[in-house]
Amino acid sequence: MARAQIEGLILRAARGAGVDLAHAEDVAHAVAWWGDADTLRDLAASLTEDVDRSTCRLGPGLIDQVQATGEVVEVPACCSLNVMRALCAAHHAQGGRAVICVADAGLWQLSCAEPDAPPVPPKGRPDVPQDVVAALTALAANTYVPSTAESHAAGAGAGTTDND
Amino acid sequence: MRLARMGQMMPNRLSFLRVLMRNLAEIGTPPERRVWDIDADGYGQAVYTLTLGGYSYSLVVFTRPLADANRSDRVIATAWDAAFVLYDGVPDAGELARLAENVPRQEAGTFTARELVLSRANKSVRLFADVVASLRAGRAPDADLLAATGYLMRTTAVYGNGKFGIADRADISARPGLGGPFMAEMLAVWLMRGFTHDLVEHVGGAPLDRGLKRQLGVGNATGLGMAPFLVSHPLLLDAWFQVRETALARVLSQTSISEAEATALIAAAEQARLHLVSWHVQDTEANAVIRQTERQWTAFCAELTVGDLRAEGGLARAFDGLSGQGETLEELAAAWVIEPFGDLVDGLAECLATPFRPVLDPTMTCAALRRVLEAHGDWAITLDFSQPGAVAQFWYVSEDKLEPRLGQRATEPGAERETPLDTARQFAALYAACPDDETPLWQFLAAAPEHRSAARRAQTLVRHPYAEVRDNLLDAATAPVDLLRAKLSMFGATRFDPKSRLWTRVTLAQGLPLFDELDRPADWLPCPVHTPVHTPVHAAP
């Protein structure tokens, strides 16, 4: 899959799972462009298992907090470190204050880093496991509205002949 | 930018097709037809290859018979007269076989990063048949019919940037000539147009007059799918309008212009007049607007003189004289006035793309964010969303081949799954919820994450004033076709032909150089070789 295609799928899946729009946007962009197969698997699991405690719900807000306060913030155990790392990389690459995710005495923490050159996203396409695609596709379907005869007939271009 | 103005925009020399043609002239080579395996009826496959900035790109085409009953411009169609792919490089026999298996299936096919753009098109049956019959009979095609239609085939989708597994834009955006927005898509469209010329000559068995051929572009039917893009790419939207406004400012800040420039302006104004004369649409209201503009513009042209334009401040005076006469005329003037000043404005095309996305500033206080909303979001926070009319419509994606649709909230199901194009409503909700105190924004958003998107978008407006469509897209009066026209004009589309408030037909690449004319400057607006005399559908008010 293309990375833009993955981003679109994650965005819809996260929204379909009930994640707020900005968080869904952040995670979709970060995981699609900075993640690998493991990151995608973590993301799909967190959206399908316990969305309230998922990295999608918690991660962007934690980065906001670290960036604003300069505090060191512990990453909750329910969060995926792969997804957190992707969020940090994407945040830095977009010009945000550098936030890093590091291990300290067995705990994972977010903290501000010294200004550095923004990271470069990985090249090529990630290998997306089929079961991950299936899980995300199922969640994305929650954002689609079932078609009815009325909505079909009222769509753009309906009712006209295209044999002109 | 308000919808009323966006819905009247016109293409200009910074439109993407025009930028592409300059790139092709500067660093491209003419397309070469490497494969032409098309039978007498016009069915088979063809490959065209050109180079741009040292890279080879090929348009691969597959055509097949299509029953009239299956010819539909809607996204939900599953078969087309022609299917296209812009391929990265030159396909060998194995790749051609793979493409033949997948490209005609479009959304249902399997694609790789070698495919840059995916598209399909249907014939304009009547014009195609007429031109073929004329060529076979050894006579000139009906110029009136040709001018009235403007294309032999009409695309119903032009997919790029990773859609259905094709290449990401990021894969090619650093290449010479393809860095601007939608450059690969525009390249595919221009090549498709040349293919339609070759196809009709092949089936007709005779060459088409070069002047007539130049006036045949590629049609396009565009519906709701294009509208969400403008909302989901705020920084890109801002870049497009920043470029346009900067171009206008540069041109209008000249205190005097040369005789050649004044002469060119008068020629461009006449070109626009002829274009308006030839532009007729079935929609009564839209046609009345065009006729009114034709009259206003004709009167304006009659007053233009080289001397007046060359006088100190003359250009700005002429431009200002058109302001206050409605968005349609003002938008035409904005496109016209920059036309002869390529040296001043063409370099701005480099700023049409942006790699950035909006970033939240969580250090702001809630009170400061409220001041931002008051200063930059007044168009939203003053609206009353408790009124049914303010939320009458909802945008959604249908399960039916994921076709974007617009629903009526009061009568149709599905509003709970609406696509979040409700920026105005989000701004109003944020303003209502955000305390007017020194609470750090990050803290407020941690407790109310549903407002984070609106907060980020509002902050973005401080440095990117054109990042939002400054209207309520849920309002009963909002016409999606206004959004479509704005984006299509940025592409360089002409002859806007709205078929309803939901969709429009347009023509792309009409009047642009042919394959063997890369050195020929592109026309701003197409003018038929023979301008037909029409009877207006309705008299303008």
Side-chain angles (χ1 to χ4, degrees), chain A residues 1-4 6 30-37 40 89 119-128, chain B residues 55 113 167-175:
Chain A
M1 291 176 74
R3 289 191 185 268
I6 298 168
V31 172
W33 293 92
W34 300 87
D36 56 14
L40 281 156
V120 178
K123 289 193 182 301
R125 297 179 166 197
D127 181 20
V128 188
Chain B
Y55 290 85
D168 285 310
R169 173 179 151 73
D171 295 343
I172 53 170
S173 60
R175 294 187 187 180

Side-chain angles (χ1 to χ4, degrees), chain B residues 81-296:
Chain B
D81 285 314
F84 306 87
V85 68
L86 184 68
Y87 181 85
D88 189 6
V90 182
D92 58 20
E95 283 289 81
L96 269 183
R98 179 177 66 81
L99 295 171
E101 186 68 26
N102 289 285
V103 173
R105 298 171 62 208
Q106 296 282 290
E107 294 96 333
T110 301
F111 300 102
T112 74
R114 295 300 296 268
E115 287 81 69
L116 307 180
V117 176
L118 185 66
S119 184
R120 69 288 190 99
N122 288 329
K123 286 175 188 163
S124 172
V125 179
R126 197 159 60 106
L127 182 61
F128 197 91
D130 180 83
V131 175
V132 166
S134 301
L135 293 176
R136 285 179 176 167
R139 55 179 160 76
D142 181 340
D144 281 0
L145 181 62
L146 194 145
T149 307
Y151 51 80
L152 295 163
M153 280 193 177
R154 183 169 60 236
T155 64
T156 62
V158 182
Y159 295 121
N161 192 21
K163 282 274 189 172
F164 313 110
I166 65 175
D168 285 310
R169 173 179 151 73
D171 295 343
I172 53 170
S173 60
R175 294 187 187 180
L178 288 188
F182 295 96
M183 280 297 106
E185 289 88 339
M186 295 301 104
L187 177 59
V189 165
W190 181 69
L191 288 167
M192 287 157 56
R193 174 218 191 199
F195 164 74
T196 67
H197 297 163
D198 284 2
L199 184 68
V200 80
E201 291 180 335
H202 173 79
V203 178
L208 193 56
D209 172 77
R210 177 175 288 269
L212 289 178
K213 204 154 65 171
R214 206 178 283 135
Q215 292 306 317
L216 285 170
V218 170
N220 177 257
T222 296
L224 296 175
M226 193 175 266
F229 183 93
L230 296 177
V231 178
S232 59
H233 294 79
L235 294 192
L236 196 58
L237 185 68
D238 179 69
W240 294 355
F241 284 107
Q242 291 272 11
V243 161
R244 179 187 119 120
E245 295 302 310
T246 304
L248 265 179
R250 283 187 185 179
V251 167
L252 294 175
S253 66
Q254 300 174 100
T255 51
S256 64
I257 61 175
S258 71
E259 182 170 344
E261 289 165 338
T263 303
L265 274 168
I266 291 174
E270 175 63 7
Q271 187 181 34
R273 191 190 66 78
L274 291 173
H275 175 74
L276 290 168
V277 167
S278 70
W279 181 12
H280 290 256
V281 298
Q282 284 184 325
D283 182 88
T284 310
E285 192 177 331
N287 199 59
V289 171
I290 298 167
R291 302 281 69 81
Q292 163 96 351
T293 308
E294 180 190 332
R295 282 193 296 277
Q296 291 172 310

Side-chain angles (χ1 to χ4, degrees), chain B residues 10-38:
Chain B
M10 293 291 285
N12 63 32
R13 68 176 300 126
L14 291 161
S15 297
F16 307 151
L17 273 165
R18 298 282 300 279
V19 174
L20 171 74
M21 296 316 300
R22 291 196 290 273
N23 291 345
L24 280 169
E26 190 179 342
I27 56 172
T29 60
E32 175 192 353
R33 200 167 80 183
R34 301 173 72 95
V35 175
W36 186 260
D37 185 12
I38 302 280

Side-chain angles (χ1 to χ4, degrees), chain B residues 389-454:
Chain B
V391 292
Q393 305 184 120
F394 69 99
W395 300 68
Y396 69 93
V397 175
S398 168
E399 278 182 358
D400 196 359
K401 216 181 166 195
L402 304 190
E403 185 180 58
R405 293 181 184 167
L406 194 65
Q408 297 303 311
R409 196 176 303 273
T411 56
E412 293 182 48
E416 72 282 3
R417 296 183 170 196
E418 69 185 297
T419 307
L421 304 187
D422 57 335
T423 307
R425 185 171 62 176
Q426 290 181 38
F427 274 19
L430 170 62
Y431 189 70
C434 189
D436 197 359
D437 61 25
E438 297 306 299
T439 303
L441 182 59
W442 73 267
Q443 215 167 61
F444 167 70
L445 294 178
E450 68 272 21
H451 295 300
R452 191 164 175 267
S453 175

